[in-house]
Amino acid sequence: MDGDRKFGKYRRFILYLVVAVLVNMAGVTAFIRVDLTADGIYTLSEATQKAVSRLSEPLTIHVFFTKNLPAPYNATERYLHDLLKEYAACANTYFNYRFHDVDPESESADLKAGKNRELANTYGIPPVQIQLVEKDEVKFKKAYMGLVLIHGDLAERIPTVLSTEGLEYQLTTAIQKLSNKVSAFLNLPERVTVSLFFSSSLKAVAPLMGLEEMSDLPREIERIVEKINAGMHGKLAFRHYDPTTDPNLEHEIEKYHLMSLSWPDLPKAGIKAGKGVIGLVMEYEEKRVEIPLVRVMKIPILGTRYDLADMNQLEESITSGVETVIDVNEDLGYLVDHGTPDLFGSPGGGSPEGEGVLAFSNLISRTYSLKPVTLNEGSIPEGLKCLVIAGPTEAFSEFELYQIDQALMRGTNLALFLDAFQQIDAPNQQATGFQRNPQVAALQTGLETLLAHYGIRIEKSIVMDENCFKQSIPRQFGGGQRPIYYAPIVSSRFINDSLDYMKNIKGLVAYKISPLELDEKRISDSGLKATKLFSSSENSWKVAEQITLNPFLIHPPPGSEEKNSFSLAYLLEGTFTSYFFEKPIPEAAEKIESIQNSEDPVKNKAGGRQNGGIQDIDLTKIKDQGGFREKSEPAARILVVASSEMIKDNILDPEGKSPNALFILNLLDVLSGREELALMRSKEIRFNPLHDTTVWTKTLVKTINMVVVPGLVAVFGLFCLLHRRSRKKRLQQMFQG
């Protein structure tokens, strides 16, 4: 009997042991983690899952991390382990990662750690110096904390991983940068169609238009597409449509906004009345990009001139257009003329300290290829998803405004950081060393006309706010703080948190910014959506006359009637109508002048050309339509911030971790069609200040904490004392009775 009892105990022990082993094995093989954070900080974003699940070639992440590091670096290694494990759970079979233990010491390390060190150096992962405390002594130690991503013949490094902040964003954007083009083309279930619409009837009138090479256009474009297709894994399908022989193409011609030419009988040239269509379209699923192949210029006195697209630039335009329709185009345009800040110049090279945009350039270059855009001598490239225009100081011509307008109509969203005023330094100020009051002059570039047509206006004033940045005064000058009223601090109450990519931005700093005013009727009639992004506090006012930027001369108005909250940034969305709709289309003045001054023998005073002995053919009889776009796509967007200071070095931090930097980066992601990246970046924002409260609220909270809470504790204690006494009396009466 005793033996059965002992065996029963052992049997239970063995059973419990087997269950414990099985539970541990299940825990090792089944990776489960519950994310209870409000913003899902530890849950992979949709952009990450999409990036790793669509890999079409092996991608390996080599992590070089020194073992047994002190806190907080050991927590970073554990987080990186867990993060990559989640990446692998969402990825396909092409995703791999490996951790390498790298000993930073040279000779004393074991052989394996030494080889790992050599491998890290080969990939360009250097050791970093960290601080640790051992036996009450502060010491410094070298450690490896970096990784490299290998995808085909390409490599992307993250040389130092010092914290977990923004780590998912860095990894995912690096993966996208490596795999976007290769994986995107290999994973396309269908091919991208490159369609040339070219009417054979145009061959007859092409010589009269000075476009003799037009006849070879189909063959030349097919050759270019075949060349591009070789580098895109054969994912392009070239189509040539001839509307002259296929009248059923009328609907396609209208849908694609293709240029249509028509002409009457031209008996001198032996040409009968006719019409023709010409244009190039890249299309995939519901997205498309059109490239005009003929440009019409109506030149005073000389008449009409036709120019054919440059074949040397057409290859780049087709490539960019194809990448745009499959969402792998990483180009972001930046206007580099008209007095905008130098994109790549350092603050000390031509711009006052803090007035450059070097930090902006470096931050954007992490995820985009910045493409300089010039309007003085060039044009806005086809296929750009976003164009940044920041702080222009020179006026735009009508033709340049036309290019910006038509870029918006074609699908290029606009990010406008415009100034209502320009600061002018007083003469001889630097030479004399005497600090005079900086002069401010109103600025008019012509973009204001476009914006007014779209439904928004920049007021000619500067916003001042009592809730502003406070400048510390050195002790030798009296100490304390000086308010800089033209640098409003925007608290979370005045930031639109209804947008997912804005909800975690809790505070911003504006600088030399002007208020924005909506034309409610125009926006309503156009069916546009205007979203206010942030505004000043209710303690702000605007100054329109006798503007000074000297803090000593700025004083808040005595009464509250002049104070109000002013809108400082808007995002306009919807279908925009062209500013040039039902207006004469302007031409490039400098090109007209060069044509007028040239002595081309094929032009005559009637605007005709002499080709093959045929003279006085009036080209004005050839009518064109379809190249001009009257309306934009339904999802067009314009960001308007009335201050170029918002992207300058004195506002943006080089690391891109401040709320201002995150606001700019998120909005540019949204304008570039990458809202998922903005959401991923937003969920890791750590800046979370306390909400602004009134003096009365602060007093109430203090009273509750200092009086009410202790009073409640005292009352509860008294209640417990009385309850115990009452219970004691009941027990005494019970036993005495």
Side-chain angles (χ1 to χ4, degrees):
M1 183 70 69
D2 292 339
D4 292 340
R5 288 180 180 176
K6 290 182 179 179
F7 180 73
K9 292 181 180 179
Y10 287 130
R11 184 170 56 188
R12 285 195 296 271
F13 173 75
I14 294 173
L15 180 62
Y16 294 154
L17 181 63
V18 170
V19 171
V21 171
L22 291 176
V23 169
N24 278 276
M25 291 179 62
V28 171
T29 56
F31 176 74
I32 300 175
R33 185 171 69 178
V34 179
D35 188 356
L36 300 179
T37 58
D39 299 317
I41 295 175
Y42 300 102
T43 301
L44 293 185
S45 64
E46 183 180 348
T48 297
Q49 298 177 29
K50 191 182 298 183
V52 295
S53 63
R54 294 183 177 181
L55 293 172
S56 56
E57 287 188 351
L59 184 142
T60 304
I61 300 178
H62 293 281
V63 184
F64 299 94
F65 232 98
T66 301
K67 292 288 186 181
N68 303 320
L69 293 177
Y73 307 109
N74 53 358
T76 301
E77 184 184 10
R78 285 196 301 269
Y79 176 81
L80 190 55
H81 268 284
D82 294 342
L83 183 63
L84 291 178
K85 193 175 292 185
E86 288 204 31
Y87 270 70
C90 297
N92 57 23
T93 56
Y94 290 111
F95 180 84
N96 301 282
Y97 70 93
R98 183 180 179 185
F99 276 78
H100 302 273
D101 178 17
V102 189
D103 194 322
E105 304 299 330
S106 55
E107 301 300 333
S108 61
D110 59 69
L111 183 61
K112 184 177 181 181
K115 289 183 177 180
N116 290 340
R117 185 176 59 253
E118 293 179 4
L119 185 61
N121 294 333
T122 301
Y123 285 129
I125 306 297
V128 295
Q129 186 169 272
I130 61 173
Q131 179 179 308
L132 65 154
V133 179
E134 289 184 356
K135 298 179 181 179
D136 297 329
E137 292 184 10
V138 177
K139 296 182 179 180
F140 293 93
K141 177 182 178 180
K142 285 186 177 181
Y144 283 86
M145 294 183 291
L147 57 89
V148 61
L149 300 90
I150 308 296
H151 187 55
D153 297 330
L154 304 176
E156 188 75 17
R157 295 181 303 119
I158 302 179
T160 54
V161 183
L162 298 178
S163 70
T164 62
E165 186 175 352
L167 190 52
E168 182 192 349
Y169 181 82
Q170 293 182 62
L171 280 173
T172 299
T173 52
I175 291 173
Q176 287 181 335
K177 186 180 292 186
L178 289 173
S179 66
N180 253 355
K181 294 182 181 180
V182 176
S183 299
F185 283 111
L186 289 177
N187 284 329
L188 286 180
E190 300 177 359
R191 294 199 289 178
V192 179
T193 58
V194 182
S195 303
L196 170 65
F197 292 82
F198 178 73
S199 300
S200 55
S201 57
L202 291 173
K203 296 180 180 180
V205 295
L208 303 179
M209 301 162 61
L211 304 177
E212 292 83 358
E213 63 273 24
M214 182 185 286
S215 299
D216 297 328
L217 193 62
R219 186 165 52 252
E220 185 67 19
I221 292 180
E222 185 175 8
R223 181 192 65 80
I224 293 175
V225 173
E226 288 178 356
K227 179 182 177 182
I228 298 173
N229 205 13
M232 293 185 174
H233 306 278
K235 291 296 183 177
L236 303 185
F238 179 71
R239 301 284 186 270
H240 176 205
Y241 298 101
D242 185 357
T244 302
T245 59
D246 188 355
N248 297 323
L249 295 173
E250 289 292 334
H251 175 69
E252 302 293 322
I253 294 170
E254 294 180 3
K255 182 177 74 171
Y256 294 140
H257 304 279
L258 300 174
M259 175 172 285
S260 177
L261 301 172
S262 60
W263 56 91
D265 287 330
L266 302 173
K268 291 185 179 181
I271 298 174
K272 295 183 178 180
K275 62 180 181 178
V277 174
I278 184 170
L280 191 64
V281 180
M282 279 70 64
E283 188 172 22
Y284 183 75
E285 294 181 344
E286 297 181 357
K287 297 183 179 180
R288 63 178 182 268
V289 171
E290 299 96 0
I291 297 179
L293 297 177
V294 173
R295 180 179 171 189
V296 183
M297 298 181 64
K298 295 178 172 57
I299 306 171
I301 302 176
L302 296 180
T304 304
R305 179 186 176 96
Y306 295 91
D307 288 328
L308 200 62
D310 188 348
M311 293 297 108
N312 296 325
Q313 298 179 358
L314 192 58
E315 180 178 343
E316 181 181 352
S317 298
I318 294 176
T319 302
S320 177
V322 171
E323 292 175 354
T324 297
V325 297
I326 64 171
D327 288 329
V328 299
N329 192 337
E330 299 175 348
D331 290 338
L332 188 145
Y334 179 90
L335 186 68
V336 295
D337 54 20
H338 288 79
T340 59
D342 186 9
L343 187 59
F344 301 106
S346 62
S351 298
E353 186 175 357
E355 291 294 311
V357 291
L358 187 60
F360 171 81
S361 172
N362 292 336
L363 291 174
I364 295 300
S365 297
R366 294 178 184 177
T367 50
Y368 294 96
S369 298
L370 276 171
K371 200 164 191 175
V373 175
T374 58
L375 290 179
N376 287 335
E377 300 177 356
S379 58
I380 300 175
E382 301 285 341
L384 279 183
K385 288 190 175 181
C386 179
L387 172 64
V388 178
I389 302 178
T393 57
E394 301 171 5
F396 291 82
S397 68
E398 282 290 298
F399 180 69
E400 290 165 346
L401 294 177
Y402 173 75
Q403 291 189 74
I404 296 172
D405 174 89
Q406 287 299 291
L408 176 65
M409 299 302 114
R410 294 194 304 267
T412 298
N413 294 324
L414 301 178
L416 306 178
F417 301 89
L418 307 179
D419 299 314
F421 295 89
Q422 181 180 11
Q423 182 173 328
I424 303 174
D425 293 330
N428 301 323
Q429 177 173 319
Q430 296 180 351
T432 60
F434 181 72
Q435 295 294 326
R436 302 182 183 179
N437 295 333
Q439 300 176 3
V440 176
L443 191 61
Q444 194 79 20
T445 63
L447 288 174
E448 300 84 1
T449 307
L450 279 185
L451 289 179
H453 170 75
Y454 299 143
I456 190 169
R457 187 175 68 87
I458 301 176
E459 294 189 29
K460 293 298 180 182
S461 60
I462 290 183
V463 173
M464 307 285 180
D465 199 333
E466 291 187 3
N467 185 25
C468 61
F469 173 77
K470 306 296 191 302
Q471 183 183 36
S472 298
I473 302 175
R475 186 173 298 175
Q476 60 268 30
F477 295 105
Q481 292 183 324
R482 179 192 301 117
I484 308 298
Y485 293 115
Y486 50 84
I489 292 180
V490 183
S491 62
S492 58
R493 289 193 300 123
F494 300 96
I495 298 176
N496 187 352
D497 60 358
S498 64
L499 304 170
D500 290 337
Y501 52 86
M502 291 282 293
K503 65 181 181 180
N504 287 335
I505 298 178
K506 305 299 184 181
L508 293 169
V509 177
Y511 190 56
K512 298 180 185 177
I513 196 165
S514 300
L516 298 174
E517 182 181 1
L518 292 179
D519 187 338
E520 301 286 355
K521 184 178 184 306
R522 184 179 291 273
I523 288 178
S524 176
D525 293 343
S526 302
L528 299 176
K529 177 184 177 183
T531 304
K532 183 193 298 183
L533 300 178
F534 66 88
S535 57
S536 62
S537 76
E538 65 273 1
N539 294 320
S540 60
W541 71 99
K542 56 185 178 181
V543 179
E545 297 178 357
Q546 298 180 347
I547 298 175
T548 178
L549 299 180
N550 188 334
F552 293 102
L553 302 179
I554 303 175
H555 304 284
S560 60
E561 61 276 359
E562 297 183 30
K563 297 179 181 178
N564 199 356
S565 177
F566 300 101
S567 303
L568 304 179
Y570 270 104
L571 182 66
L572 304 183
E573 303 174 81
T575 302
F576 294 87
T577 302
S578 172
Y579 171 72
F580 294 91
F581 177 55
E582 296 182 342
K583 294 181 181 178
I585 298 177
E587 297 297 339
E590 67 279 359
K591 293 193 175 183
I592 293 174
E593 183 179 356
S594 64
I595 294 170
Q596 290 175 335
N597 294 335
S598 66
E599 297 181 357
D600 188 350
V602 302
K603 300 191 298 291
N604 60 31
K605 64 179 181 180
R609 294 174 182 263
Q610 45 188 14
N611 297 285
I614 303 173
Q615 299 184 16
D616 297 329
I617 300 296
D618 189 0
L619 296 186
T620 58
K621 294 181 179 180
I622 302 178
K623 305 296 182 182
D624 58 90
Q625 60 181 11
F628 169 75
R629 278 180 169 257
E630 300 175 0
K631 292 185 178 294
S632 71
E633 298 295 330
R637 289 170 170 169
I638 301 177
L639 168 68
V640 184
V641 181
S643 173
S644 65
E645 303 289 337
M646 298 294 288
I647 68 167
K648 290 185 179 179
D649 294 338
N650 54 0
I651 298 295
L652 296 186
D653 63 307
E655 293 78 19
K657 295 181 180 180
S658 68
N660 274 67
L662 294 169
F663 168 77
I664 297 297
L665 295 174
N666 282 0
L667 264 296
L668 291 180
D669 281 340
V670 170
L671 293 174
S672 300
R674 298 182 175 185
E675 190 167 336
E676 68 277 3
L677 288 182
L679 296 177
M680 179 169 56
R681 188 191 294 108
S682 295
K683 74 177 186 179
E684 297 185 359
I685 296 177
R686 297 291 189 266
F687 181 70
N688 195 19
L690 297 175
H691 293 289
D692 293 335
T693 56
T694 62
V695 176
W696 187 88
T697 304
K698 293 178 181 178
T699 304
L700 178 63
V701 172
K702 287 181 181 179
T703 303
I704 292 174
N705 289 332
M706 297 175 65
V707 179
V708 177
V709 173
L712 290 175
V713 173
V715 170
F716 180 73
L718 180 62
F719 172 78
C720 291
L721 178 62
L722 294 175
H723 177 71
R724 288 179 181 178
R725 288 183 176 180
S726 176
R727 183 171 176 270
K728 185 177 180 179
K729 288 181 179 180
R730 287 198 307 270
L731 290 174
Q732 288 177 348
Q733 292 175 359
M734 184 184 300
F735 286 102
Q736 289 176 357

